[in-house]
Amino acid sequence: MADLFPEGSLVRDEKLIRRHAVTVLQSILNCDVSMHSGSGLPAQLVGVLFGADQKMPSMAFEAFLKCYSKPGITKAVQAEGLAPQNTGKEMRAVLMNHVGEGHWLPEVASFAQAQDVWTQKQKKKQAKIRELESMVDDEDLDEMPEDDFDGAADDEADLSNGPVVPVTEPDYEESFSLQAPEPEPSEHNEAMQFMRDHLEIVVVA
């Protein structure tokens, strides 16, 4: 802020503005996952949008592949449709010959794998919403207590300042229902729709 607004107004130095903009992006759109920095999965998804995998160097070279254990290099070779070899050295050679001058990244280092991770997270979120819906649908609504309608005619007369009109017993029964009304199905549907529209995960960088 001090560099960009030294006197309360934005500076006109384009290079300075660009440098600070890049610094901000570097601090936000990185793949670190920690309590203090990094965006993790959202940053990886941004990498997918901009084709970050193609901008990374190929990792099919000896110094990197030697970091693999034998089961690890075996899995990497099989992922390329190649037959496993007897030793890790042979499998590294087979993989490098297969890639040649091309481009190879292990799945764990690829930005593209973020799409599958994101999809799984969305499926879990939808499953949780369905679980909440089921819990709401299965709840037994308590019966409403029966209202005491004694003196209802007197109350109405007091409110209207009119005479009290006597009501016979049959008319009383027909005028009032002591049975609690059943909730409309739409009430649950509206609540569930509200949850679908508003239950979102917000990532704060």
Side-chain angles (χ1 to χ4, degrees), residues 3-189:
D3 289 343
L4 295 178
F5 299 88
E7 297 179 358
S9 300
L10 181 64
V11 298
R12 297 176 179 271
D13 189 339
E14 182 178 343
K15 291 184 178 180
L16 181 63
I17 295 175
R18 184 182 300 274
R19 178 165 60 84
H20 280 284
V22 171
T23 300
V24 171
L25 291 176
Q26 288 175 341
S27 66
I28 297 176
L29 294 179
N30 65 74
C31 301
D32 291 340
V33 180
S34 72
M35 295 178 60
H36 307 290
S37 65
S39 302
L41 185 59
Q44 294 177 34
L45 292 173
V46 173
V48 173
L49 294 176
F50 289 94
D53 281 348
Q54 299 305 315
K55 295 178 174 61
M56 295 178 65
S58 176
M59 297 185 180
F61 56 93
E62 181 72 15
F64 174 78
L65 295 178
K66 287 180 68 174
C67 298
Y68 275 98
S69 63
K70 186 173 182 180
I73 191 64
T74 300
K75 184 178 179 180
V77 167
Q78 291 176 330
E80 295 297 314
L82 304 173
Q85 304 297 313
N86 295 326
T87 65
K89 183 177 181 179
E90 292 176 352
M91 284 188 281
R92 293 195 297 270
V94 167
L95 181 58
M96 288 187 292
N97 290 334
H98 171 73
V99 175
E101 297 297 325
H103 188 264
W104 178 83
L105 292 175
E107 182 179 1
V108 69
S110 171
F111 283 85
Q113 55 89 26
Q115 298 178 89
D116 294 334
V117 176
W118 178 261
T119 299
Q120 293 301 318
K121 285 182 176 291
Q122 295 303 305
K123 289 181 179 179
K124 290 181 179 179
K125 184 178 74 172
Q126 293 300 323
K128 186 62 176 179
I129 293 176
R130 287 193 294 269
E131 180 183 349
L132 293 174
E133 291 177 352
S134 176
M135 291 173 60
V136 173
D137 291 337
D138 292 341
E139 285 183 354
D140 293 328
L141 298 177
D142 295 334
E143 292 187 1
M144 296 177 62
E146 295 185 357
D147 295 330
D148 183 4
F149 293 104
D150 292 341
D154 294 338
D155 294 339
E156 293 178 0
D158 292 339
L159 292 174
S160 61
N161 294 322
V164 176
V165 179
V167 181
T168 60
E169 187 66 21
D171 292 338
Y172 181 88
E173 293 294 335
E174 293 177 1
S175 301
F176 298 94
S177 175
L178 301 181
Q179 184 68 30
E182 290 293 331
E184 293 293 332
S186 62
E187 295 178 5
H188 290 300
N189 296 338

